[in-house]
Amino acid sequence: MEIWINPACSKCRSALTLLDAEGADYTVRRYLEDVPSEDEIRGVLERLGLEPWDITRTGEADAKELGLKEWPRDAGSRDRWITALAGHPKLIQRPIITADDGTAVVGRTDEAVRDALSR
């Protein structure tokens, strides 16, 4: 199990606390420092069953600067979104937990973190 975190994020810290309390075996990836490649983002999206715009923090300054809210959300624009996430990792929703069964969850709630633990 791997968890992508931003240490400054309270949701990330809560997820780590819960994982520790449950005795989970996991690896931490500080994705702002160890930026995922476009291929890694594609892989996580597949595991999540989501599209790149579903995990984009559109309220961030970088998103506003890029005008993401106006970008089309369709198959033809998918690669553009993935390139933006790889180039601006702060835009990636957090924390993302990759579960042992090959799936992943966005662990913003205790329920989501527990879901990842049960897989």
Side-chain angles (χ1 to χ4, degrees):
M1 180 180 301
E2 182 177 77
I3 180 169
W4 292 7
I5 68 155
N6 173 351
C9 168
S10 64
K11 299 286 186 188
C12 293
R13 291 190 307 271
S14 293
L16 291 173
T17 298
L18 181 54
L19 290 173
D20 289 341
E22 296 292 329
D25 182 24
Y26 64 92
T27 303
V28 171
R29 180 172 186 170
R30 294 177 179 226
Y31 71 92
L32 296 179
E33 299 163 17
D34 182 8
V35 179
S37 68
E38 290 183 24
D39 284 342
E40 287 176 303
I41 293 170
R42 282 185 189 90
V44 162
L45 288 168
E46 186 174 321
R47 292 175 80 162
L48 287 166
L50 297 173
E51 293 296 338
W53 45 85
D54 296 326
I55 65 162
T56 301
R57 298 173 56 85
T58 57
E60 293 285 336
D62 287 354
K64 291 176 183 169
E65 186 177 307
L66 292 169
L68 287 181
K69 286 190 178 182
E70 282 72 51
W71 287 16
R73 296 175 181 216
D74 57 29
S77 301
R78 191 171 198 270
D79 285 342
R80 181 181 182 196
W81 282 84
I82 290 169
T83 298
L85 292 174
H88 304 272
K90 192 178 273 192
L91 298 177
I92 299 171
Q93 190 59 264
R94 60 194 183 246
I96 293 177
I97 303 170
T98 56
D100 291 337
D101 70 351
T103 62
V105 298
V106 178
R108 295 194 56 78
T109 65
D110 286 353
E111 293 76 26
V113 174
R114 284 191 183 95
D115 182 37
L117 284 167
S118 70
R119 295 179 183 199

